[in-house]
Amino acid sequence: MTDWAGGYVADIEYITGFYRPQAPAHLTLAGLLGGVDSRLPMQTDAAHYLELGCGRGMNAALMAASNPGWQVTAVDYNPAHIAAGRSLANQAGLDNITFIEADFAALAERDMRPADVVSMHGVWSWVSPAVRAGIVRLLNRVVAPGGLVHLSYNALPAWQGGIGLQRLVFEAGRRSPGRSDRQVTAGLAFAGELKDASARYLMDPLASDLVARLGEAAVGYLAHEYMNAHWSPCFHADVAAALSDAKLDWAASGNLLESFPDLMLSDTQRGLLNRYEDPIMRELVKDICMPRQLRHDLFVRGARRLTNEQRDAVLRELFVVMSVPADDFVFAIDVPAGQAEMGPAFRHFVKALRDGPMRVADLLATAPGHSNPAELAAVLVGTNQALIVPRPGTPPSTEAIRFNRTLGAQITSLAGPEPSGGLASTALGTGLPATRAMQFVCGRILAGEGEADLDTWFQDLRHDIPEEKHETLHRILHDVVDNRLGPMRQAGVLPG
Ligand SMILES: C[S@@+](CC[C@H](N)C(=O)[O-])C[C@H]1O[C@@H](n2cnc3c(N)ncnc32)[C@H](O)[C@@H]1O
């Protein structure tokens, strides 16, 4: 029985995940692009990172392993999630992380150290109004002056065409027997049958596309997305109004490219956007123009505005590193209208970054005529091909090495859907996004095995891979050894 859950799914665990916008340095960059001073204590100060709705704790544990001088607190009311998070932290010997099993609605009464960064991924639009009110009370008590709050949620109006589908899957699902994973599968199957019967609503683009695609997704994900009694997508203005009760100011989108209307909107749309200065109204216009189903927003407790000159001065001093092999770098940007080509200066930047992390000011100097640090950082990082390096030159700490060894040792199979994972880096203060194959190879190398052990690794992983896919397994392992170890060293995951 999960009566304690208040309508949220608690009879099956959520998938494990780690997402870039949850990283402190990413939030710092997002804030700067929004013209807000969002610098964090990265080098020596001991900061507090709080995650609300931590699920199985992967992101929180990565933050703890990547920032050994920081304290991390991870909260979730599902005991299975807290047990999984504690187990991961214990295995990795992390002593700077505390997991708290608690309901947000009741947490505001508890004493907690002020938090410099708070992250809530996949929580807000999935919980009841009473729980959201509890979150706001908690944030009001706990966020430090100048502290950053990251919040992701399903947004309106982009979700409008999918609301009926969620309701259909939820209602059909809860009339089916069994756990919520069985229920969501039954609900989706029923939606599929209605679509095949040409049900009018399910012919609309979003609902139709969701029915076609969702069959592929992990059931833990689907159950937590579709079987919650209180799921309700929100307008940005309503979220911003709710958080203002905790003295939180909306600062920027965590999706960095969205801070650049030039990239995201047509000329005519920009003209209409520019009729307004109020950022809340501008976000509504953007939400009407762009298909933003999942918003990542950054709020700051007491936003201090920077002039463009002040902002650019801070941006010039940031360091960036590639997170993908230079040869795989894609010079096209996905924008609502299709794809846009990056300017020729980006060829110079990528060439310069082949040798490792560089200061933005030095990168700009490699491409005469390009003097815009905001565009440089936003495009490299916002296309998920580079990361900010808050502690350049810092080698992997013993905590990060132990954590990555632990992750690697847990990987015994590459079969099934690929979760979004990472590898801890002290230099990055977060994880380098990584596939299971990367985690496996990194763990083995850190455990003392050489890069030449490819055949042993293949033997260890081939057991549940069908024979016809063995060639693919070989290719994946070769790709990691030949192409990914360089970026792992440059990002401070492996010693240089
Ligand atoms: C969709 S999951 C996201 C988990 C994690 N942030 C991630 O992205 O992997 C939402 C999480 O919020 C937790 N949660 C929901 N309602 C809660 C409440 N009232 N108090 C505490 N945790 C809650 C759930 O147990 C679940 O782990």
Side-chain angles (χ1 to χ4, degrees):
M1 290 291 282
T2 56
D3 290 346
W4 51 266
Y8 187 91
V9 168
D11 58 353
I12 174 172
E13 288 174 59
Y14 193 54
I15 51 173
T16 59
F18 152 69
Y19 307 93
R20 288 167 188 250
Q22 296 192 270
H26 183 98
L27 296 174
T28 294
L29 177 57
L32 290 169
L33 296 176
V36 167
D37 195 346
S38 46
R39 279 168 286 184
L40 282 165
M42 291 304 297
Q43 294 292 353
T44 51
D45 297 342
H48 181 205
Y49 182 99
L50 169 65
E51 184 171 4
L52 301 178
C54 62
R56 284 151 69 175
M58 179 57 75
N59 172 68
L62 264 167
M63 292 305 151
S66 304
N67 298 286
W70 287 25
Q71 183 60 43
V72 174
T73 306
V75 181
D76 204 290
Y77 71 170
N78 186 333
H81 287 169
I82 293 296
R86 279 192 186 139
S87 163
L88 174 62
N90 286 342
Q91 285 170 51
L94 296 174
D95 59 8
N96 60 336
I97 184 164
T98 308
F99 284 93
I100 300 178
E101 181 196 323
D103 192 316
F104 308 133
L107 204 65
E109 325 319 325
R110 213 164 153 147
D111 267 344
M112 201 183 280
R113 177 181 156 185
D116 302 280
V117 189
V118 181
S119 180
M120 278 172 279
H121 180 57
V123 175
W124 186 263
S125 47
W126 288 265
V127 296
S128 70
V131 174
R132 290 183 202 167
I135 291 174
V136 174
R137 281 199 307 280
L138 173 65
L139 294 175
N140 192 30
R141 274 202 59 182
V142 82
V143 181
L148 311 183
V149 175
H150 158 255
L151 183 90
S152 71
Y153 54 96
N154 282 159
L156 288 172
W159 251 104
Q160 199 151 298
I163 291 176
L165 174 69
Q166 187 275 343
R167 190 61 182 254
L168 175 67
V169 172
F170 174 75
E171 295 292 350
R174 75 192 182 98
R175 286 169 173 77
S176 304
R179 260 186 352 199
S180 52
D181 51 338
R182 293 255 178 95
Q183 293 183 329
V184 79
T185 307
L188 270 172
F190 184 61
E193 287 184 62
L194 275 176
K195 185 181 169 192
D196 291 344
S198 303
R200 169 68 196 81
Y201 166 76
L202 295 173
M203 299 293 115
D204 286 348
L206 179 57
S208 165
D209 181 50
L210 285 170
V211 176
R213 272 192 301 115
L214 288 177
E216 316 272 295
V219 283
Y221 164 81
L222 290 173
H224 282 251
E225 291 293 313
Y226 287 87
M227 292 309 297
N228 289 315
H230 299 286
W231 177 80
S232 98
C234 313
F235 281 103
H236 166 263
D238 295 336
V239 178
L243 293 205
S244 72
D245 285 348
K247 300 188 185 169
L248 291 164
D249 304 316
W250 180 79
S253 170
N255 288 325
L256 307 180
L257 297 178
E258 292 175 4
S259 289
F260 291 83
D262 289 7
L263 281 175
M264 293 292 152
L265 305 183
S266 68
D267 287 351
T268 318
Q269 290 170 343
R270 275 203 311 280
L272 294 166
L273 174 79
N274 289 337
R275 286 193 195 166
Y276 296 94
E277 278 188 11
D278 172 13
I280 302 295
M281 181 64 196
R282 287 172 66 86
E283 283 307 293
L284 177 59
V285 176
K286 288 192 210 166
D287 277 333
I288 299 280
C289 293
M290 309 192 295
R292 282 203 271 195
Q293 277 171 252
L294 179 72
R295 281 193 66 117
H296 284 274
D297 277 322
L298 171 68
F299 291 83
V300 178
R301 181 148 164 139
R304 287 158 300 146
R305 305 282 160 191
L306 299 171
T307 63
N308 285 351
E309 293 70 33
Q310 288 169 326
R311 177 197 69 176
D312 286 356
V314 180
L315 286 169
R316 277 177 210 286
E317 294 308 312
L318 296 180
F319 278 72
V320 234
V321 69
M322 300 272 286
S323 55
V324 296
D327 290 336
D328 292 358
F329 193 92
V330 177
F331 290 91
I333 309 173
D334 288 325
V335 291
Q339 288 207 322
E341 258 314 290
M342 292 178 199
F346 283 85
R347 308 248 164 212
H348 294 281
F349 302 149
V350 171
K351 187 163 173 242
L353 282 167
R354 276 179 185 272
D355 297 331
M358 275 185 74
R359 206 163 57 106
V360 167
D362 298 329
L363 267 179
L364 284 172
T366 65
H370 194 291
S371 57
N372 186 340
E375 189 194 41
L376 180 157
V379 168
L380 291 178
V381 180
T383 55
N384 296 337
Q385 304 189 85
L387 291 160
I388 297 296
V389 195
R391 302 186 187 103
T394 308
S397 62
T398 44
E399 290 83 353
I401 289 177
R402 222 164 38 213
F403 184 78
N404 292 336
R405 235 177 15 223
T406 306
L407 276 189
Q410 288 180 349
I411 307 239
T412 54
S413 166
L414 300 188
E418 183 72 59
S420 91
L423 284 161
S425 158
T426 325
L428 298 177
T430 184
L432 173 74
T435 59
R436 278 174 299 177
M438 288 165 70
Q439 292 172 329
F440 174 87
V441 169
C442 176
R444 291 294 184 100
I445 290 175
L446 290 173
E449 295 179 18
E451 288 165 32
D453 279 315
L454 262 167
D455 277 337
T456 318
W457 300 341
F458 173 76
Q459 296 304 333
D460 290 349
L461 288 171
R462 56 175 252 182
H463 58 94
D464 58 355
I465 307 280
E467 186 122 7
E468 66 272 16
K469 295 220 166 125
H470 282 184
E471 194 44 48
T472 311
L473 177 58
H474 259 300
R475 205 168 16 84
I476 290 172
L477 289 173
H478 264 291
D479 174 58
V480 174
V481 170
D482 297 342
N483 302 319
R484 316 271 151 185
L485 294 181
M488 284 193 221
R489 289 201 182 88
Q490 293 185 341
V493 165
L494 289 170

